[in-house]
Amino acid sequence: SAAMSPSGRWLAALTDVPGKPKGLLIIDLDDTANASFLPVSDKEDLLWFRWVSDDWLIGGLRTAANRSTQGKWDGMLSFKRDGSAIRQLISRTFEAESMHFRRRVLGPEHDFLAVGAPGTVEIIVGESIFQTKGRELERVVPKVLNVATSALRTLVLDGPEATGWTFDHRGRARLAFNSR
């Protein structure tokens, strides 16, 4: 898959380089001779990506050696277009982790929903809240996450108990629905 940055200057495409996990080919469309491969991880394939701004992207990983999804979700990380500032945003497992780690990284009950407002480095993630009995999905709480700092805030404070959300191109909630 390939996608252009918000300004249209940069193109990123998922690709393989022999001997390396799947990563991104980044091309400056103003200077196509300056293409670079961004592996993002030494051991894991990049499964998907989205541009957040011209400088920031997010993506999900899967272990290249074991491509099964059993027991692990994609998780999510953010990184700059040049490959610097890689930051894990969403954990891949429900394993017990230190409190320090849990404060910096969201649990796997969170998932990417949409890119935030234009001109920001924010995305919208949903926190899935499950019923204590039966573990059925009760609602999804949309939150705004800064991909550069991991700062988090609730997007809809008094919203409906919805299991799904649709957002416009400005990161505003436009539709809430319930599938239960």
Side-chain angles (χ1 to χ4, degrees):
S1 69
M4 293 178 68
S5 68
S7 73
R9 178 175 175 181
W10 303 92
L11 177 71
L14 277 176
T15 188
D16 290 300
V17 169
K20 294 188 178 192
K22 192 176 287 185
L24 286 178
L25 178 64
I26 305 283
I27 302 169
D28 180 348
L29 296 175
D30 289 346
D31 181 10
T32 56
N34 268 339
S36 62
F37 178 72
L38 177 61
V40 182
S41 172
D42 293 336
K43 299 176 185 167
E44 299 175 304
D45 286 336
L46 187 64
L47 289 178
W48 62 270
F49 73 94
R50 298 286 184 285
W51 287 96
V52 178
S53 70
D54 272 13
D55 293 321
W56 285 93
L57 297 98
I58 58 169
L61 298 174
R62 180 165 303 144
T63 304
N66 179 9
R67 289 190 166 99
S68 76
T69 58
Q70 190 172 5
K72 286 201 172 190
W73 287 255
D74 295 346
M76 187 171 61
L77 51 86
S78 64
F79 49 93
K80 284 192 163 187
R81 181 187 69 243
D82 64 5
S84 65
I86 295 173
R87 172 187 295 269
Q88 187 171 2
L89 300 173
I90 298 176
S91 175
R92 297 178 67 194
T93 65
F94 283 103
E95 296 170 3
E97 296 151 343
S98 72
M99 288 303 292
H100 178 67
F101 181 80
R102 291 292 289 171
R103 274 183 275 204
R104 295 179 335 199
V105 178
L106 298 174
E109 69 277 6
H110 293 82
D111 197 17
F112 171 74
L113 297 179
V115 173
T120 70
V121 292
E122 295 177 334
I123 60 170
I124 301 165
V125 297
E127 179 183 7
S128 296
I129 308 294
F130 296 93
Q131 295 175 350
T132 53
K133 294 180 182 177
R135 296 289 297 158
E136 289 187 33
L137 180 63
E138 184 176 300
R139 68 185 182 278
V140 173
V141 178
K143 298 182 176 190
V144 177
L145 177 64
N146 183 303
V147 301
T149 66
S150 295
L152 182 72
R153 63 181 165 83
T154 301
L155 179 64
V156 180
L157 294 174
D158 293 327
E161 288 197 4
T163 57
W165 294 85
T166 300
F167 300 89
D168 66 14
H169 67 284
R170 293 184 179 149
R172 296 180 299 190
R174 288 299 188 192
L175 177 67
F177 57 89
N178 201 329
S179 61
R180 52 182 179 107

